[in-house]
Amino acid sequence: QVQLVESGGGSVQAGGSLRLSCAASGATVSTWAMGWFRQAPGKEREKVALVYRSGYIYVADSVQGRFTISRGNAENTLYLQMNSLKPEDTAMYYCAADPSSDAIWRMTSRYWGQGTQVTVSA
């Protein structure tokens, strides 16, 4: 029943910035774990940045210092601020939510968005 819709993707040159948004509907997810994931062609899906039920935040080493995950003021939204983008950041970015923090970490979340494409050129 829960729907997640990502937006904000696009094409940008290396060093540029993008802000991704994830809007949830059908349920209140303010107490759920949520996260951003990405997948490039021919590569496995990987965790980018997560926020657990406790509020603990995980950020992948590859984006540390460049990406920031946050919840919106309305709490049913999730953002990913991406700065200093690199060509290796090029991927489809997905938002996910689950009542279980373990499921978010294991990438077995019950609910996923459709994805938004991010392309970074050199």
Side-chain angles (χ1 to χ4, degrees), residues 22 36 46 55 58 114:
C22 173
W36 288 99
E46 63 177 327
Y58 163 85
Q114 81 289 345

Side-chain angles (χ1 to χ4, degrees), residues 8 11 15 26 29 33 40 42 45 48 59 64 71 77 84 95 99 101 112 121:
S11 298
V29 299
R45 184 171 298 184
V48 177
V59 181
Q64 191 80 232
R71 304 186 92 113
T77 56
S84 302
C95 171
S101 296
W112 294 84
S121 61

Side-chain angles (χ1 to χ4, degrees), residues 14 20 24 28 46 48 50 56 59 65-67 81 87 91 99 104-105 122:
L20 306 185
T28 300
E46 63 177 327
V48 177
L50 315 173
Y56 179 85
V59 181
R66 301 187 298 118
F67 290 13
Q81 179 66 47
I104 287 289
W105 174 257

Side-chain angles (χ1 to χ4, degrees), residues 9 15 17 19 24 28 38 42 44 49-50 53 62 66 71 76-77 81 87 91 95-96 99 104 107 111 114 116:
S17 298
R19 185 174 178 84
T28 300
R38 67 186 183 187
E44 293 185 349
L50 315 173
R53 290 172 55 88
S62 59
R66 301 187 298 118
R71 304 186 92 113
N76 245 29
T77 56
Q81 179 66 47
C95 171
I104 287 289
M107 296 193 293
Y111 300 103
Q114 81 289 345
T116 185

Side-chain angles (χ1 to χ4, degrees), residues 9-86:
S11 298
V12 66
Q13 292 185 344
S17 298
L18 287 172
R19 185 174 178 84
L20 306 185
S21 300
C22 173
S25 62
T28 300
V29 299
S30 60
T31 63
W32 291 21
M34 299 186 72
W36 288 99
F37 305 79
R38 67 186 183 187
Q39 187 169 24
K43 190 177 179 181
E44 293 185 349
R45 184 171 298 184
E46 63 177 327
K47 296 181 282 285
V48 177
L50 315 173
V51 56
Y52 297 134
R53 290 172 55 88
S54 65
Y56 179 85
I57 291 175
Y58 163 85
V59 181
D61 290 344
S62 59
V63 304
Q64 191 80 232
R66 301 187 298 118
F67 290 13
T68 302
I69 187 171
S70 62
R71 304 186 92 113
N73 293 333
E75 287 281 49
N76 245 29
T77 56
L78 185 73
Y79 298 104
L80 185 68
Q81 179 66 47
M82 307 187 296
N83 298 325
S84 302
L85 283 161
K86 305 175 181 179

